[in-house]
Structures are given as C-alpha cells and as structure tokens.
Amino acid sequence: MKTYNKFLNICLSAILLIVLTACGSSTEQSSNVKEDTENEVTIVNNDITTVYTEAPKRAISLNQHVTEIMLALGLEDSMVGTAYLDDKILPSLQEDYDQVPVLAKEYPTKEQVIDAEADFVYAGWTSGFSEKGIGTQEELKELGIHTYLHKSSDMTSPTLEDIFEDIQNIAKIFRVEERGDELIAQMKADVEKVQANLPEVDERVNVLIYDSGEKEIFTAGQNFMNEITKLAGGHNIFSDIKDGWVTVSKEDAVARDPEVIVVIDYGDTSAESKIEFLKQDPALKETPAVQNEHFVILPLSAASEGIRAAQAIEILAKGFYPENFKK
C-alpha cells in the first residue's frame, strides 16, 4: 500500500507540474499577445487605414521634403531608396542621404519599388501615387507595401500644425516618437526666434509670389506659401483666392500693388532669369516691387511642407524687413 501511495503521489506531482507549466505557458502567450497589441500603430491616411505591427524596415521616400523628414528623424538605416529632389539636400543631412540608394531622378517605376523589396513608401505629393508615379496606394497595399501620403501637401490652407501632425505620424510608424517631438520643438523654437525680430506694423508688406509664367502668372492662393508669408509678416496679395496654386492675370497682379516679389527657385529656369523677365515686362515693371528691386528668392524645397519651414520663414522675414535682421 505504501508503495502504491508513493507511486500515486509521484503521478499527482507530475500531473500538477504539467498543469502549472501549461498555465505558465498560457499566461506568457497572453502577455505576448497583449504586448503586440499595445505596440500596434494604426494610421488613417488618405482614407486608408493601416495597422503597423512593427516599424517598416525597407522604406522608400518620394519627393525631397519627405525625404528630409525621414533623414531628420534618423531613419536612413530603415530606407532602401529615395527619389525626386527639387534641389540640393540640406547640408546637415547630406552624409545620411548619401547612405540611401537613389532609385530615380524623378519617380521610380513600380517594378523598381518591388525589386527593392520595399515595405513602406512615403510620398510628398499626390503625383507620387498616380499612374505617372508608382501606382495608387490601393495597388501597393495589395502588394503588401504600406504607404503614407504627406497630408499637409495634399490640402488647401496647410498650417505648421499640419506639418507637425505628419512628422508625428511618421515618428509613430517608425517608433521614434521622442525624435519626432524633439524635431517639432526645434522647429517651433526657430520660428519663434524669427518672429521675435519682426516689426510691429499697422499694415503688412504686400507680397506677390511668383512661381512662373509670362502671359499670365502662376502664383499662390491658399497654399503653404500663403501661410509662411503670413508668419514672416507679409500679406499675400492673392490670399483671397481659396485654391492652392493659381493662375492670375498680370493686370490683376499690378492692380494689387505688390511691394515685394517672392521668386520661387527651381527647375531649368533660374531665379535670376525670372527676375530679369519681371524687370523687362511692360506691366510688371511698373509695380513698386520691381521699381525698388525688392525681390526675395526662395528655393522650392524651402517652400514645401517639410522641416525647412522655419528656414523659409526666416528667408522671407529677412527679405521683407531687412532692417530688423542686421544684427
């Protein structure tokens, strides 16, 4: 009987050990599931909901301003490609940029994106996710590639806060929220520093934003140029137009009496060539801005909704009110 009881106790102990081990395993699995759920990031972008269970490891950036956001967040090691510069990359980001393969001068093909084994594509403009770009976000999703369209570049009347939201979203997706907060804080501080030097005026200086055009003028209505012009102490003379980039007549531009002309610098036509045209044009040369040769050159990369916003505001403010920035 004692031998039987001893055998029974051994069996019961073994069974209890198995049960406890199984319970422990079950608890551990539940904990992992909970942890995975907590680590998920859900982003709604351009009406597409994407759940990120982990940070992308093979990202591609399209368009300069979003490339610079990625690099400013220290994500070059998570990138397998980039494309489409407007001009030179920010000098402070050049070394990091050189680590990332350039897939194309403009947009790469969908095949190039697939060959790079990308798991994430970040576009600055809607054209990136079009037939002329690499395909729609829906098409890429079917291929297992997550996407993000820069919201602040795809809306009318974007503000700095809209840019900050984009930066925060990218920081969340890549699990670098602290870096995102630091970048935003620095941008805010830089803007405040510029604005501290602006004069107190009853009327803001009248500004014509000149992108291009000879028979007519391609200018800014309610796009980001309007926002940074305002933050730099200027008044965009076409801010009453509710669209983004718009075409207006030269006669209308002259009638609005611009005191400063901001020349957007990009592409094959230099800013100097644009200024020469403005000086020679029979109508535009009669404006106070041209007569006083009051021009401000702004690179397109700075005019975009990216990390150069503070730099753009500084360029404009110094151009509008040079006397206040002589120190």
Side-chain angles (χ1 to χ4, degrees):
M1 180 64 70
K2 289 182 179 180
T3 301
Y4 174 77
N5 288 340
K6 184 176 181 181
F7 175 74
L8 182 61
N9 287 336
I10 291 172
C11 290
L12 290 172
S13 296
I15 292 170
L16 180 61
L17 180 61
I18 291 170
V19 171
L20 289 173
T21 301
C23 289
S25 175
S26 175
T27 302
E28 185 178 348
Q29 288 177 2
S30 298
S31 176
N32 285 340
V33 170
K34 184 178 180 182
E35 183 178 340
D36 287 345
T37 302
E38 289 177 349
N39 284 338
E40 287 182 354
V41 172
T42 301
I43 300 291
V44 180
N45 175 250
N46 203 23
D47 294 329
I48 296 175
T49 300
T50 303
V51 178
Y52 296 86
T53 56
E54 61 179 358
K57 295 180 175 63
R58 301 184 64 81
I60 292 174
S61 63
L62 309 176
N63 308 117
Q64 182 163 346
H65 58 302
V66 300
T67 295
E68 291 184 344
I69 287 174
M70 293 280 289
L71 296 177
L73 291 173
L75 297 173
E76 61 275 3
D77 290 339
S78 300
M79 299 173 69
V80 294
T82 185
Y84 222 138
L85 291 187
D86 297 313
D87 49 44
K88 292 182 179 179
I89 204 80
L90 268 177
S92 60
L93 300 176
Q94 186 67 54
E95 186 176 343
D96 296 328
Y97 176 77
D98 290 340
Q99 296 180 38
V100 184
V102 176
L103 301 181
K105 183 178 180 180
E106 295 186 355
Y107 290 127
T109 64
K110 186 187 296 183
E111 289 70 26
Q112 286 177 296
V113 172
I114 294 171
D115 288 344
E117 299 180 352
D119 58 4
F120 180 83
V121 179
Y122 182 15
W125 309 109
T126 54
S127 55
F129 295 129
S130 68
E131 292 181 1
K132 293 182 179 179
I134 62 171
T136 67
Q137 290 180 272
E138 291 81 2
E139 290 171 345
L140 294 171
K141 186 176 183 179
E142 290 178 1
L143 295 172
I145 301 172
H146 294 321
T147 57
Y148 189 92
L149 175 61
H150 201 58
K151 173 187 172 183
S152 52
S153 294
D154 186 41
M155 62 189 300
T156 304
S157 305
T159 66
L160 284 177
E161 291 301 322
D162 294 314
I163 298 175
F164 297 155
E165 183 177 340
D166 277 322
I167 292 173
Q168 287 172 330
N169 283 342
I170 296 301
K172 287 177 184 176
I173 290 170
F174 284 86
R175 313 312 199 263
V176 290
E177 290 94 333
E178 187 173 334
R179 296 182 204 170
D181 292 340
E182 290 173 357
L183 177 58
I184 291 168
Q186 184 61 57
M187 290 175 67
K188 288 181 177 180
D190 290 343
V191 171
E192 289 172 1
K193 183 178 179 181
V194 173
Q195 292 188 315
N197 288 301
L198 291 177
E200 294 184 7
V201 293
D202 294 330
E203 292 187 9
R204 292 166 175 257
V205 62
N206 279 338
V207 179
L208 168 63
I209 296 153
Y210 180 73
D211 177 281
S212 57
E214 295 186 0
K215 292 182 178 180
E216 294 180 300
I217 294 175
F218 192 53
T219 187
Q222 283 291 328
N223 61 19
F224 190 56
M225 276 302 309
N226 181 69
E227 173 74 359
I228 58 177
T229 297
K230 182 170 59 177
L231 292 173
H235 166 64
N236 170 20
I237 61 174
F238 286 104
S239 61
D240 59 312
I241 299 179
K242 301 307 178 185
D243 294 325
W245 288 103
V246 296
T247 300
V248 300
S249 69
K250 288 189 290 187
E251 292 72 21
D252 195 2
V254 172
R256 298 187 184 215
D257 214 29
E259 300 165 88
V260 183
I261 297 179
V262 175
V263 178
I264 307 299
D265 189 15
Y266 69 97
D268 297 330
T269 305
S270 68
E272 290 73 21
S273 297
K274 292 180 181 181
I275 291 173
E276 190 59 31
F277 161 74
L278 294 168
K279 288 181 178 181
Q280 299 299 323
D281 185 82
L284 295 170
K285 71 179 183 180
E286 299 301 323
T287 62
V290 176
Q291 290 183 353
N292 295 318
E293 296 194 13
H294 200 164
F295 303 104
V296 180
I297 298 174
L298 186 69
L300 179 60
S301 54
S304 302
E305 299 82 354
I307 63 170
R308 300 197 195 202
Q311 181 190 72
I313 294 167
E314 181 177 11
I315 291 171
L316 295 178
K318 287 181 175 179
F320 298 164
Y321 305 103
E323 294 296 325
N324 289 71
F325 293 89
K326 282 188 173 181
K327 294 181 181 179

